[in-house]
Amino acid sequence: MHPQWKRQFSCFDLVAKTDQRPRGIVRVHDIEIGGDDVIVMAGPCAVESERQLLETAEAVAKAGARILRGGAYKPRSSPYAFQGLGVEGLKLLRKASEATGLPVVTEVMNEADIDRVAEYADIMQVGSRSMENYSLLEALGRCSRPVLLKRGMVATLEELLRSAQILAQAGNPRIILCERGIRTFETTTRNTIDISAVAVLKMVSRLPVIVDPSHAAGMRCLVPILGRAAVATGADGLLVEVHPVPEQALSDGEQSLTFQEFRSMMDDLQPYVSIQREARRLRPQLLAVGAD
Ligand code: PEP
Ligand code: MN
């Protein structure tokens, strides 16, 4: 590991990579995140209706997604935008999970909602806007569900790992890191995907790292390309927004894939996934190189 990174990150001892603990795998039912397979989590930005969610869950499951995503509590930038269905959305997520067998990841925005969300969700998502909400993180430390921790849109990797350390210190070591694009001066995309974040996080931390190409791109034509780049860089999984009719979506329609586009993305991803699987089989050698 680069000496600068060792100095910078070794204080986050519960989440840093060490010779004794090279990688942490987060298990959700029979799925291993951070294991040999690339795990794709997909579904709508927001749960809007039973039909929208069930159709999407079935389509993404058929195309190879392993986990269903969907927001019931939405942290929207505008107070006038759709804020999510709340508990009704959580119930629909559980129903879709039972229909398809896919575990569910959904966002929790508020400490007071943790128990309710945990009743329905398999993975608790901490959104970009909440990455530094330390009281939320501490409360999630006491939660028995794994946490998907999204990088804040203006957060450094040190700040992301600090939040992960807080969660682990509070008692919850089952953490998945997520790069979702950061704010830069570039305006052609919604955010700028920080692809080196994937490589750095994989080298300095023992936590699984996934990438959300949807919020990074902000437009659907780029999502499959960024997804492939993420997998080629060693991401353990992807988080992808999919909607039956993106033009009618109540949130993030421009970056949501249609069912057909998602199927094509999954097909085109296969060669990259196979190469990664093989690379992981050879992990001891790769780790030795990465450790220099
Ligand atoms: C989301 O996943 O729908 C979301 C709101 O993402 P972020 O927190 O990265 O903006
Ligand atoms: Mn979204």
Side-chain angles (χ1 to χ4, degrees):
M1 191 195 300
H2 194 286
Q4 179 195 321
W5 295 343
K6 201 166 248 171
R7 278 196 302 277
Q8 200 172 356
F9 296 112
S10 57
C11 58
F12 305 129
D13 59 323
L14 298 178
V15 297
K17 182 176 271 175
T18 63
D19 291 344
Q20 290 73 37
R21 297 195 301 171
R23 70 167 160 169
I25 294 176
V26 173
R27 289 187 178 79
V28 180
H29 305 302
D30 62 334
I31 301 169
E32 288 190 344
I33 304 155
D36 289 341
D37 278 332
V38 171
I39 303 298
V40 176
M41 313 179 183
C45 176
V47 178
E48 299 170 4
S49 70
E50 177 161 350
R51 186 163 168 209
Q52 170 243 18
L53 185 65
L54 283 170
E55 282 182 9
T56 309
E58 270 156 24
V60 300
K62 212 161 147 210
R66 306 285 305 280
I67 294 175
L68 174 65
R69 66 144 289 147
Y73 296 93
K74 294 305 302 173
R76 304 305 302 282
S77 304
S78 161
Y80 307 112
F82 176 59
Q83 307 289 318
L85 296 180
V87 185
E88 196 47 42
L90 293 175
K91 288 183 181 160
L92 293 177
L93 282 165
R94 184 70 6 234
K95 194 163 182 181
S97 171
E98 276 157 19
T100 56
L102 299 182
V104 160
V105 58
T106 194
E107 178 159 356
V108 59
M109 290 167 59
N110 203 309
E111 260 177 272
D113 295 331
I114 290 179
D115 289 346
R116 193 174 314 125
V117 174
E119 230 179 279
Y120 298 95
D122 298 282
I123 305 175
M124 314 286 276
Q125 178 171 320
V126 173
S128 200
R129 293 159 190 81
S130 301
M131 190 207 84
E132 289 187 309
N133 181 342
Y134 296 144
S135 59
L136 178 66
L137 297 177
E138 275 165 21
L140 281 168
R142 298 186 288 277
C143 175
S144 60
R145 301 267 184 251
V147 173
L148 170 53
L149 179 63
K150 293 188 102 175
R151 180 182 184 182
M153 57 190 88
V154 293
T156 63
L157 296 183
E158 192 175 324
E159 287 159 346
L160 173 63
L161 285 178
R162 183 189 302 151
S163 291
Q165 172 83 8
I166 288 170
L167 258 169
Q169 228 161 31
N172 193 345
R174 299 169 75 205
I175 305 164
I176 304 153
L177 301 174
C178 180
E179 160 63 34
R180 48 77 76 205
I182 50 174
R183 283 243 169 111
T184 66
F185 54 81
E186 183 53 67
T187 54
T188 51
T189 50
R190 181 174 179 183
N191 292 286
T192 299
I193 191 168
D194 181 4
I195 210 73
S196 48
V198 180
V200 173
L201 290 171
K202 291 296 294 178
M203 279 187 224
V204 304
S205 104
R206 55 188 293 274
L207 303 177
V209 179
I210 70 162
V211 171
D212 170 351
S214 306
H215 290 87
M219 54 187 65
R220 75 180 67 91
C221 63
L222 258 188
V223 171
I225 302 169
L226 300 187
R228 291 199 289 277
V231 171
T233 313
D236 296 298
L238 300 175
L239 184 69
V240 182
E241 290 187 336
V242 179
H243 193 281
V245 192
E247 298 72 32
Q248 291 170 16
L250 297 182
S251 74
D252 288 349
E254 285 189 8
Q255 66 197 34
S256 299
L257 302 182
T258 63
F259 297 166
Q260 175 55 43
E261 285 166 340
F262 181 68
R263 264 198 307 275
S264 303
M265 171 179 173
M266 293 296 277
D267 289 346
D268 295 346
L269 208 54
Q270 278 323 300
Y272 296 80
V273 170
S274 303
I275 290 170
Q276 275 305 309
R277 208 178 282 127
E278 185 59 11
R280 281 159 195 241
R281 217 176 48 75
L282 304 170
R283 184 166 278 268
Q285 293 93 307
L286 286 175
L287 276 180
V289 174
D292 281 341

